[in-house]
Amino acid sequence: MHLLNLLNGRPHLGLEDIESVALMDRYDSKFLVPEHWLSHTLTELKDHAVLAIADTVSTTYRNLYFDSPDNVCVRQHVRGKTSRFKVRIRHYANTGVTFLEVKMRDVYGKTAKHRVVRTASTWDAPLNDAERQFLHLHLGNVASTLAPVLESQFERFTLVNLEEGERLTFDLGVAFKNPGSEEDWKTPLAHVSVVEWKQNSVNHQGSLIQALRSHPERRGPLGRPLRMSKYLLGRQTLQPHLDFKTYRPALRDMSRAESLAANPTFAPQSILR
């Protein structure tokens, strides 16, 4: 409740107000921040407004990710290919709007997002012919091989600084399950928020960095830029048999961050390293 009060107590912006920071082409930086840090972090970010949609400052996101039978998206990311893509359906629970999205990262580390609105009867309905054509336009022949491989959900709130041209998204309760299954959700990051800093150009000394550095519990991977992907974390959580060899240092960083956040008074050197 205290977090919700902090969010509601700052200026609100609607989607029409943040067109200048839609940032469909952007640079992303990611951080893992313990949930019990968030009040401190928000207090430090004094110049950011909060995005409010349908009179609420947060919403549940549902995502359905696609990959090929040979897991091209996993392989590209694990191997550190600078040019890679991801495909997902994203559903916004508070508005009922759903998009089919292609995220493409170029050799310079910049992410471009292309999307179309879905009009299917259910948010996760099979792709129609027009949507397949949209994927083919951006991805070529690999588009015809893509099928659902991962479902995820989380709660997100977004801070916006129009003057700095940036958005900060905070994802809480990140959870995964296999598409269409009745299994329980898996929550490998139950005690941390995934924070994404989206910018027009790279700035290594912004207000988010200063807010995280100021926290007295900052140690190990907490509050530091990380190489991380919610998509790969979900695939590894549900399909650990896949080859994540070169990505294992990033997975260990995520595991250490969760351990520290869950046990803030217990920090053996093996976790901090």
Side-chain angles (χ1 to χ4, degrees), residues 2 83 132 203-204 225 237 243 254:
H2 180 58
S83 180
R132 287 288 181 185
N203 172 13
H204 297 293
T237 298
D243 182 8
M254 288 182 251

Side-chain angles (χ1 to χ4, degrees), residues 134-171:
F134 165 78
L135 294 181
H136 189 273
L137 173 66
H138 293 288
L139 301 174
N141 292 335
V142 71
S144 64
T145 71
L146 300 177
V149 293
L150 176 70
E151 190 171 341
S152 73
Q153 69 176 15
F154 50 81
E155 191 76 12
R156 170 174 287 185
F157 67 86
T158 301
L159 300 185
V160 180
N161 188 317
L162 295 177
E163 185 175 339
E164 296 295 328
E166 67 179 22
R167 283 190 292 127
L168 307 173
T169 60
F170 295 74
D171 298 342

Side-chain angles (χ1 to χ4, degrees), residues 243-262:
D243 182 8
F244 295 94
K245 185 179 299 182
T246 59
Y247 196 71
R248 295 214 177 275
L251 292 168
R252 284 196 296 271
D253 281 341
M254 288 182 251
S255 178
R256 289 169 184 152
E258 170 62 17
S259 295
L260 282 168

